[in-house]
Amino acid sequence: MAAHHTPDDDDADLFRNAIGPVRKLPEAPPPPTPPKPRPRARMAELDEADARHSFKFALDESLLEAADALSYRSEALPVPVFARLKRGEIAVQEELDLHGADVRTAEQLLRAFLNDARQHGVGCVGVIHGKGLHGAAVEGRPVDSRGAPVIKNLVDRMLRQRADVLAFHSAPPTRGGTGAVIVLLAPSKRR
């Protein structure tokens, strides 16, 4: 059987003859790789998640009631100074009012407030958390489903977990009583 030529074969031969010898082009460089992601502080994220979990677990264990006083003293604070704090004899330099805030907002505001106070050398602050008497029993509101004041318990737990808090106690009745707390902060270390 004879090979059958098509017009396409003739065109291909004509083209090869017209262009002459060919050489292979160099390989194209590979496309650039996307930049590596920025490093993340994974351990800090894990620590934060663990702290949140522990915080929520601790919150469920022993909830404060509306009339309960907040009270804490670190070993670094002398007992006579703590007694003065309890009597309301230490002047509050700055104050934060958390009335009407939801849990997430209250947590952010309290962290920022304490960090700012410490950064500016403020040694004694007041936090008005309320007693949770007028809130609805809904997640994120002033009281939880058992009637415990959520913001008050949040403030208590957060203050106990901070290394820069030397002591705190509920305010005297004239300054908000069990609806507010006075906090003594450790002096910031000069660098």
Side-chain angles (χ1 to χ4, degrees):
M1 240 197 226
H4 182 45
H5 274 51
T6 63
D8 288 337
D9 290 339
D10 291 336
D11 287 343
D13 287 338
L14 282 172
F15 177 74
R16 278 190 211 97
N17 288 334
I19 62 167
V22 294
R23 61 182 168 90
K24 189 172 180 177
L25 291 175
E27 300 257 343
T33 58
K36 291 182 179 178
R38 290 185 159 213
R40 289 185 0 217
R42 289 192 181 118
M43 290 307 292
E45 290 172 5
L46 292 174
D47 288 346
E48 182 74 20
D50 186 45
R52 285 180 194 269
H53 175 71
S54 297
F55 173 78
K56 287 178 182 167
F57 179 73
L59 188 59
D60 289 339
E61 273 191 12
S62 59
L63 294 172
L64 296 167
E65 298 298 323
D68 292 343
L70 302 183
S71 188
Y72 165 81
R73 178 185 72 87
S74 82
E75 296 296 320
L77 186 74
V79 174
V81 177
F82 185 60
R84 288 184 55 221
L85 176 71
K86 287 172 71 171
R87 290 190 301 267
E89 295 175 357
I90 300 176
V92 171
Q93 296 167 281
E94 297 289 333
E95 198 165 66
L96 172 67
D97 189 345
L98 297 175
H99 273 112
D102 62 36
V103 174
R104 184 175 304 227
T105 303
E107 180 180 358
Q108 292 170 346
L109 288 171
L110 183 57
R111 276 185 208 284
F113 175 70
L114 293 173
N115 290 338
D116 186 63
R118 181 104 191 278
Q119 191 175 41
H120 289 92
V122 175
C124 185
V125 297
V127 179
I128 302 168
H129 48 71
K131 296 180 184 181
L133 298 175
H134 305 290
V138 177
E139 179 66 32
R141 295 296 181 138
V143 294
D144 74 356
S145 59
R146 293 162 287 194
V150 175
I151 302 298
K152 180 175 184 169
N153 280 284
L154 170 83
V155 169
D156 181 62
R157 298 293 187 248
M158 283 183 67
L159 292 176
R160 287 177 189 276
Q161 292 176 357
R162 290 185 64 106
D164 58 350
V165 172
L166 292 174
F168 60 85
H169 195 276
S170 288
T174 57
R175 298 226 9 133
T178 57
V181 64
I182 300 173
V183 184
L184 281 182
L185 298 172
S188 59
K189 294 179 178 156
R190 300 278 179 198
R191 295 182 187 194

